[in-house]
Amino acid sequence: MVGLVVLTALAFAPARLHEFILYDDTVYVTENPRVQQGVTPANLWWALTTLDAGYWHPLTWWSHMLDCELFGLAAGGHHVTSVVLHAVAAVLLFAALDAMTGALYASGFVAALFALHPLHVESVAYIAERKDVLSGVFWMLTLLAYARYVRAPSRGRYAAVVGAFVLGLMAKPMVVTLPFVLLLLDYWPLRRVSIPVRDGALLRRVVAEKIPMLVLAVVASVTTTGAASGIGAVADLETMPLGRRLANAVIAYVTYLSKTVWPANLACFYPYPASFDPVVVALAATALVVVSVAAVLLARRLPYVAVGWFWYLGTLVPVIGLVQVGQHAMADRYTYLPLVGPFIAITWAARAGLAGTRRGRSVLAGAAALVLGACVVTTRAELAHWRDSVALFEHAIAVTERNHVAHNNLGIAYRNAGRPDEARAQFEAALAIVPDYLDARNNYGLALRDANRDAEALATFREVLRRVPGYAEAQLNLGETLVKLRDWPAAAAELQTAVDLRPDHAPSHVRLGAALRALGKLDEAVVHERRALELSPDSPEAECFLADALAELGRTDEALQHYRRAIALQPEYADAHYNLGTTLARSGQIDAALGHFEAAVRLAPDHVEAHNNLGRAFAAKGRHDEAIAEYSEAIRLMPDFAIGLANRANAYEQVGKLDLAAADRARAAELGLRQQ
């Protein structure tokens, strides 16, 4: 067991240095205010009742909340938790197989394959897939509890089996296939039932004891399908005909196995093919049928092969695409539990063929060491692609074709990294593949806005909303673009719609509050900024915008508290320093104001007003030469800055440079007349 933990830590140690990924980590952690608030009674209840993200999985939500409680938004801590859970699952798998078979080394090898195989990198390295490793822990715990129950049946031990299964369902509904796997294990290695059936009463009892779990599995399946449908993730038969689904399913079954043997060109997203080669589909279907028939025919001689094969086939059913959820054709994470079946089949077949002699055992040991070593090396190499979003999606584009989702997400990653031209090119690439890809079109609108092509951005967001009127993200982006254009009445109207679409979305309240403040509706602005803080208590932007409204209402002391809170949350928040300095200066606290203006110009050297107000603070302290330098910098940044020219003229007069003062004053007057 210690060896398993050490090997897992060796393989996945680099994950502790990885970042969050913008692909669904936002949903589960980085943009989820409830999760970020940590473990509270209200949040625990929310997790029990919500179907956010298309699942009912309260245990997964609780684990993310606990991580935020412990580590905040330091991604390394979240990654370490996932690695630890994966190691625990591997140890429990080893214990369960050893308890059922008594084959120590074979059980250990299967558990090591499970722990180290590169196809499992996605489940471990992807924080949004915490549900995989967490459900894996309870899947394996159920197996171990079942082994104990079979050895000495009792109500308490049966309750432990059902309890572990329920916890697994609360982590991820994919464990619905576990009752089926327990029936397979009843055949081998537990040998509770036989083929042909010799004891009908025993068979009925074995099946009956699975019925409570089967009922729970059905409820979980219905709930999950309904939740996924509720967020629009389930494709209908018109969009995705049954024939295409079946073709993709048989190819996916074979592809997963090929990647198990040769884990090359792994990607975080595999796009659905535009078409399927009928010959390839027929060959894949034939292979599946042939292996299945062979497994049945050999079931009495090689029961572990039959159990392993049907474990693989059965556990993939919920995610093989017959019910199409999302746009992907397959996903590496879907193999997390199913691959245990082939690992068992291969390991026990090799053991039966070679373990009878000393030479055979030596060959087995050498081969096992070679395979596990290759897994560690390959897993670490694959793990490197998950270090950040740019690396992840660049790799996905490199190893797949026509990957519109990867292009879109790489565009988002480039935009977040301050690479706007590259971002726009990626959104264009995504739209070239799928012109109706509205997520990419919405993001393309953001890229246009970044390039100050605001009219085009507005048209893009309106086109998205014309096609999908309730698209909340595009609605917010439309409102924000109108804010940028200072069209305050239109901005307030669009942002109110954004709030109506997502009442619990803090950024929408923040932006609406800002628009209302610009319209002079200060009391309403305060209401929305306070609501934003209720939803996201650690939002420096909401703190700063609330302070702005309070300052305009003359509630200076409250405003100062919120500005200081914003800076405590984000010390490099230039606007918060500037606004705090302005409020302090208005209340006569020049020394304190001066320090915040200095911070503002250090953090935002092109902030014209910050340079101007820093100059005014210096002038109020009699430091006129320093004031002149700050006014001059503001004027350099904005040559037609009339207020700065007037302020510099006053400072020149204070140091006796009357000619310069007259020139500045004349220029300021000229600009003032022109602007009128």
Side-chain angles (χ1 to χ4, degrees):
M1 290 188 182
V2 173
L4 270 176
V5 173
V6 170
L7 283 172
T8 305
L10 175 65
F12 287 96
R16 74 192 188 282
L17 303 175
H18 288 189
E19 299 176 6
F20 288 107
I21 299 299
L22 58 84
Y23 193 41
D24 281 359
D25 282 359
T26 52
V27 174
Y28 281 94
V29 182
T30 59
E31 294 180 10
N32 191 313
R34 285 200 176 269
V35 168
Q36 291 175 30
Q37 289 166 13
V39 179
T40 68
N43 289 339
L44 293 175
W45 178 250
W46 170 83
L48 272 172
T49 56
T50 187
L51 295 178
D52 278 15
Y55 291 101
W56 181 77
H57 51 11
L59 204 61
T60 294
W61 288 122
W62 293 341
S63 77
H64 287 304
M65 290 173 188
L66 182 58
D67 271 2
C68 284
E69 195 83 40
L70 295 173
F71 311 117
L73 290 180
H78 297 252
H79 282 296
V80 168
T81 298
S82 291
V83 173
V84 169
L85 288 169
H86 180 56
V88 170
V91 168
L92 289 170
L93 174 59
F94 166 66
L97 289 177
D98 185 44
M100 291 180 186
T101 67
L104 180 70
Y105 295 112
S107 300
F109 182 67
V110 169
L113 276 177
F114 170 80
L116 305 175
H117 200 282
L119 272 180
H120 291 167
V121 166
E122 181 173 356
S123 294
V124 183
Y126 186 13
I127 288 172
E129 282 307 310
R130 170 66 56 77
K131 51 187 175 285
D132 264 6
V133 291
L134 193 59
S135 65
V137 167
F138 291 106
W139 175 288
M140 306 310 176
L141 188 61
T142 304
L143 296 184
L144 182 59
Y146 191 67
R148 294 181 71 248
Y149 164 74
V150 170
R151 187 165 57 244
S154 70
R155 289 183 179 179
R157 292 189 172 192
Y158 180 74
V161 174
V162 176
F165 175 64
V166 169
L167 290 172
L169 290 175
M170 293 173 69
K172 186 178 183 180
M174 188 170 171
V175 302
V176 294
T177 56
L178 185 49
F180 163 74
V181 169
L182 296 182
L183 285 171
L184 290 175
L185 296 174
D186 283 331
Y187 176 64
W188 182 92
L190 297 174
R191 302 190 183 280
R192 301 178 73 199
V193 297
S194 61
I195 300 176
V197 176
R198 296 190 181 91
D199 188 338
L202 176 60
L203 177 62
R204 287 190 294 273
R205 187 170 77 249
V206 165
V207 172
E209 68 190 12
K210 310 299 186 301
I211 290 176
M213 287 184 282
L214 288 169
V215 171
L216 291 169
V218 169
V219 171
S221 299
V222 171
T223 301
T224 300
T225 302
S229 298
I231 63 171
V234 178
D236 57 33
L237 288 172
E238 183 178 349
T239 305
M240 188 68 66
L242 183 58
R244 282 176 55 78
R245 300 184 192 206
L246 290 170
N248 183 70
V250 296
I251 289 175
Y253 267 119
V254 174
T255 303
Y256 285 137
L257 290 175
S258 69
K259 288 185 178 293
T260 301
V261 177
W262 192 256
N265 295 334
L266 305 184
C268 61
F269 183 88
Y270 299 100
Y272 217 92
S275 62
F276 295 94
D277 185 334
V279 174
V280 174
V281 174
L283 289 174
T286 301
L288 293 176
V289 171
V290 168
V291 175
S292 298
V293 171
V296 171
L297 294 176
L298 295 172
R300 295 183 68 183
R301 286 180 50 208
L302 306 174
Y304 35 80
V305 171
V307 168
W309 176 248
F310 289 110
W311 176 316
Y312 173 71
L313 289 184
T315 54
L316 270 173
V317 166
V319 290
I320 205 60
L322 299 178
V323 176
Q324 181 64 35
V325 179
Q327 305 176 60
H328 50 275
M330 50 184 282
D332 296 344
R333 61 186 178 271
Y334 291 162
T335 68
Y336 190 66
L337 295 171
L339 282 189
V340 175
F343 293 161
I344 288 172
I346 293 167
T347 301
W348 259 265
R351 178 175 179 268
L354 295 173
T357 66
R358 179 177 296 179
R359 180 182 178 84
R361 288 191 292 272
S362 298
V363 170
L364 278 177
L370 185 64
V371 168
L372 295 181
C375 282
V376 170
V377 171
T378 311
T379 288
R380 287 179 68 98
E382 183 61 29
L383 195 63
H385 301 309
W386 287 85
R387 65 185 180 273
D388 58 46
S389 296
V390 170
L392 182 65
F393 295 112
E394 285 182 341
H395 175 69
I397 291 168
V399 300
T400 60
E401 296 179 357
R402 298 180 57 80
N403 198 329
H404 60 294
V405 170
H407 280 293
N408 178 57
N409 286 328
L410 181 58
I412 299 171
Y414 280 153
R415 183 171 180 265
N416 291 346
R419 299 160 65 176
D421 294 337
E422 293 167 275
R424 191 166 62 253
Q426 291 300 322
F427 298 137
E428 289 169 347
L431 290 169
I433 298 168
V434 181
D436 291 333
Y437 186 17
L438 295 186
D439 285 350
R441 193 163 296 281
N442 175 60
N443 289 327
Y444 183 55
L446 292 174
L448 291 170
R449 189 173 76 195
D450 293 341
N452 294 318
R453 294 162 59 180
D454 297 319
E456 294 173 81
L458 286 174
T460 300
F461 296 135
R462 285 178 172 136
E463 172 61 17
V464 173
L465 289 166
R466 184 187 67 78
R467 298 189 190 189
V468 184
Y471 195 138
E473 199 64 39
Q475 187 68 52
L476 174 60
N477 292 338
L478 174 60
E480 288 180 330
T481 307
L482 291 164
V483 166
K484 181 184 176 186
L485 294 171
R486 306 181 74 80
D487 185 348
W488 301 114
E494 298 295 351
L495 290 167
Q496 182 62 63
T497 302
V499 166
D500 293 341
L501 288 170
R502 285 195 292 184
D504 291 341
H505 188 238
S508 297
H509 285 281
V510 170
R511 295 289 178 256
L512 177 56
L516 291 168
R517 179 168 55 84
L519 290 169
K521 299 178 179 181
L522 299 177
D523 290 328
E524 293 178 57
V526 167
V527 170
H528 285 284
E529 302 300 354
R530 289 198 190 281
R531 178 58 180 153
L533 279 175
E534 290 174 9
L535 294 167
S536 184
D538 293 331
S539 168
E541 192 175 45
E543 291 281 3
C544 186
F545 282 33
L546 173 58
D548 291 342
L550 291 169
E552 289 193 40
L553 282 167
R555 294 157 63 176
T556 302
D557 290 342
E558 289 180 79
L560 293 175
Q561 290 176 10
H562 287 286
Y563 282 133
R564 289 178 175 127
R565 169 71 174 154
I567 292 168
L569 290 167
Q570 187 177 326
E572 297 189 352
Y573 192 172
D575 282 345
H577 281 287
Y578 170 73
N579 292 345
L580 174 55
T582 301
T583 306
L584 288 166
R586 286 173 180 163
S587 63
Q589 302 177 59
I590 302 300
D591 289 332
L594 196 151
H596 287 289
F597 289 138
E598 287 179 323
V601 299
R602 174 177 56 81
L603 295 167
D606 59 350
H607 196 312
V608 174
E609 292 287 354
H611 283 288
N612 180 65
N613 280 7
L614 177 56
R616 294 177 65 182
F618 280 138
K621 299 295 293 181
R623 297 160 61 177
H624 299 294
D625 289 335
E626 292 168 278
I628 290 169
E630 293 301 326
Y631 295 141
S632 297
E633 179 62 13
I635 295 163
R636 185 190 69 79
L637 291 166
M638 184 186 291
D640 291 344
F641 186 33
I643 294 174
L645 286 161
N647 287 336
R648 190 171 68 175
N650 292 334
Y652 277 144
E653 286 181 347
Q654 294 297 320
V655 297
K657 297 180 179 181
L658 301 182
D659 291 345
L660 293 175
D664 273 356
R665 188 163 282 113
R667 175 65 176 154
E670 177 188 344
L671 289 169
L673 288 172
R674 186 187 305 169
Q675 290 165 5
Q676 290 176 3

